[in-house]
Amino acid sequence: MKRNIIAKLFILLTTPVIMASCEVFGLQYQDSYDFDYSVGIANNKVEMSTYDWIASRSDIFSLLKEAIDYAGMEQEFKQMNMTYILPTNTAFNSDNSTDRSYFQQHQITYIDETSGDTVTYAPISMTAYPKEQVREFLLYHIVKGEYTFTNLPAEPTWFATCATADTAYVNMYLLKDRNPNIVFNNFDGHYKTGIKPRTANMYSTVSKSYMHVLDSWLDRPTKDQIHLNN
């Protein structure tokens, strides 16, 4: 009995010290998520447009925002009832060879006027490309309609984007396993398969659009790839 009392006193006395130590060493307590009981998921609402949310997160979206501004597409990222697929800085400039970033896959070649040598390099900004190329890239990452966990099919399905080509379709479906998630462009021939968002199901209450954040970029299919995966 005496040992139990001593043990309880020890816990009571040391708990504040342990908690204070966490703060001293920078170990923050995990914040509890607001829960939206109307849909049964954590609160996913963002009280701003997609463009404004991108602008507010320069830590992960500085290259995306630069591309949007360069192509003059601010209004396209304030549209209503869309699904925005948002590539992070990692999608553009990752040095990991397995990630195959956009800059790595779209290197620029030119002839050096002094030496006459052919020079190839990976840029560090989307402003190195023609504006129309950047515009089409961004439009391909905007899917027409609102799609998220609650209405995506379990089978790979093609969805129209805002880009202009007749192959401007994104493949999306909901992977239902122990950790359900959305899968993007998981078809034979895509530069990377099984792409999943780092953060999904963000919802802009201003534009009534869903936002899914990826550390990868999406490449268009060919007509044959669309046919084979129908």
Side-chain angles (χ1 to χ4, degrees):
M1 182 68 179
K2 185 176 180 181
R3 288 183 178 179
N4 289 338
I5 293 173
I6 293 173
K8 290 178 180 178
L9 286 172
F10 178 79
I11 293 171
L12 288 171
L13 290 171
T14 57
T15 297
V17 175
I18 294 171
M19 294 175 70
S21 298
C22 288
E23 294 178 350
V24 168
F25 291 105
L27 302 176
Q28 302 297 324
Y29 307 117
Q30 184 175 1
D31 294 330
S32 60
Y33 292 99
D34 293 331
F35 199 81
D36 188 336
Y37 288 95
S38 64
V39 293
I41 56 176
N43 190 339
N44 61 339
K45 294 178 176 61
V46 176
E47 307 294 336
M48 60 184 75
S49 70
T50 299
Y51 177 82
D52 291 333
W53 189 58
I54 291 169
S56 74
R57 292 299 309 272
S58 59
D59 54 324
I60 60 173
F61 289 136
S62 60
L63 292 174
L64 177 59
K65 182 182 182 299
E66 182 182 53
I68 294 169
D69 293 342
Y70 170 65
M73 291 180 59
E74 178 178 340
Q75 293 307 311
E76 281 82 349
F77 281 80
K78 293 182 177 180
Q79 296 181 87
M80 302 289 290
N81 310 117
M82 295 291 183
T83 299
Y84 290 95
I85 302 168
L86 307 180
T88 65
N89 292 341
T90 299
F92 292 105
N93 65 7
S94 172
D95 292 329
N96 189 332
S97 60
T98 60
D99 287 342
R100 304 178 71 179
S101 71
Y102 188 85
F103 293 152
Q104 289 175 334
Q105 293 299 299
H106 297 81
Q107 296 190 19
I108 293 175
T109 300
Y110 70 96
I111 304 297
D112 186 280
E113 295 182 356
T114 302
S115 65
D117 295 334
T118 299
V119 179
T120 300
Y121 72 99
I124 59 174
S125 168
M126 291 292 277
T127 60
Y129 303 108
K131 286 187 179 180
E132 189 57 30
Q133 177 180 338
V134 176
R135 181 176 178 82
E136 285 298 300
F137 171 87
L138 295 171
L139 288 174
Y140 181 66
H141 288 73
I142 306 175
V143 178
K144 297 177 180 178
E146 303 168 53
Y147 298 103
T148 190
F149 291 112
T150 55
N151 64 351
L152 279 172
E155 297 296 327
T157 304
W158 294 103
F159 296 89
T161 71
C162 291
T164 58
D166 56 3
T167 58
Y169 289 84
V170 164
N171 195 289
M172 296 188 294
Y173 65 96
L174 183 63
L175 179 64
K176 296 183 177 180
D177 60 7
R178 293 182 61 185
N179 298 299
N181 209 340
I182 302 170
V183 182
F184 297 88
N185 278 10
N186 194 27
F187 58 84
D188 291 339
H190 196 263
Y191 81 96
K192 183 178 180 180
T193 57
I195 296 175
K196 300 174 185 176
R198 59 180 280 172
T199 305
N201 195 48
M202 303 301 295
Y203 184 72
S204 166
T205 59
V206 174
S207 58
K208 301 186 186 305
S209 295
Y210 283 98
M211 301 175 288
H212 308 301
V213 181
L214 275 63
D215 281 332
S216 301
W217 56 281
L218 300 182
D219 202 6
R220 297 183 185 188
T222 63
K223 289 182 179 179
D224 289 340
Q225 287 167 334
I226 292 176
H227 175 72
L228 289 173
N229 288 273
N230 274 336

